[in-house]
């Protein structure tokens, strides 16, 4: 499926809510990274933030907003293709831990 010029619609209120959550996470995690780098915080501080700020639940909600929009506006075949793309992500496992990302093939 060629996705280069495809668009989906998301209700503005839901898009703004997701954007607010993502902005909070990016700014807060950047600040936490700086604190860890300066020695005024450690990895447990990041874990506490993730737990106390319900980062998992809020990211799951963001995923749901996009998933619902895709399900409603694309064909079943297109949604299956997107599901397959999503399964290609890197996921934490107890056997692997946190692997170092290979950024040699990424730009930015």
């Amino acid at each position: 499926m060629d996705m280069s010029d495809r668009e989906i619609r998301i209700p503005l209120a839901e898009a703004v809510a997701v954007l607010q959550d993502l902005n909070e996470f990016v700014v807060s995690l950047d600040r936490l990274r700086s604190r860890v780098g300066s020695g005024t915080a450690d990895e447990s501080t990041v874990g506490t933030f993730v737990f106390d700020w319900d980062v998992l639940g809020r990211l799951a909600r963001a995923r749901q907003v996009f998933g619902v929009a895709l399900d409603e506006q694309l064909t079943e075949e297109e949604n299956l293709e997107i599901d397959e793309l999503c399964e290609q992500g890197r996921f934490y496992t107890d056997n692997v831990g946190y692997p170092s990302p290979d950024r040699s093939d990424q730009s930015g």
Side-chain angles (χ1 to χ4, degrees):
M1 157 179 48
D2 179 18
M3 292 186 265
S4 61
D5 63 346
R6 300 285 303 268
E7 295 182 9
I8 60 166
R9 295 180 62 91
I10 298 174
L12 182 58
E14 291 184 28
V16 170
V18 168
L19 184 60
Q20 286 175 311
D21 282 346
L22 293 175
N23 188 54
E24 284 181 24
F25 300 151
V26 169
V27 171
S28 297
L29 288 169
D30 182 57
R31 289 177 180 171
L32 285 165
R33 179 181 60 181
S34 294
R35 287 191 56 205
V36 169
S38 70
T40 60
D42 60 20
E43 290 83 5
S44 68
T45 308
V46 177
T48 299
F49 163 75
V50 168
F51 182 78
D52 288 352
W53 287 44
D54 190 28
V55 172
L56 174 61
R58 293 164 69 189
L59 287 173
R61 173 69 180 130
R63 181 179 63 182
Q64 180 185 24
V65 166
F66 283 98
V68 166
L70 292 168
D71 286 345
E72 291 175 348
Q73 298 172 52
L74 300 178
T75 67
E76 183 175 347
E77 182 179 293
E78 290 169 327
N79 277 301
L80 286 173
E81 189 173 338
I82 290 170
D83 289 345
E84 289 174 13
L85 289 171
C86 289
E87 289 299 320
Q88 295 173 15
R90 291 180 299 174
F91 305 100
Y92 173 86
T93 68
D94 290 334
N95 296 335
V96 178
Y98 294 100
S100 297
D102 177 12
R103 297 182 187 260
S104 62
D105 62 337
Q106 297 178 0
S107 62

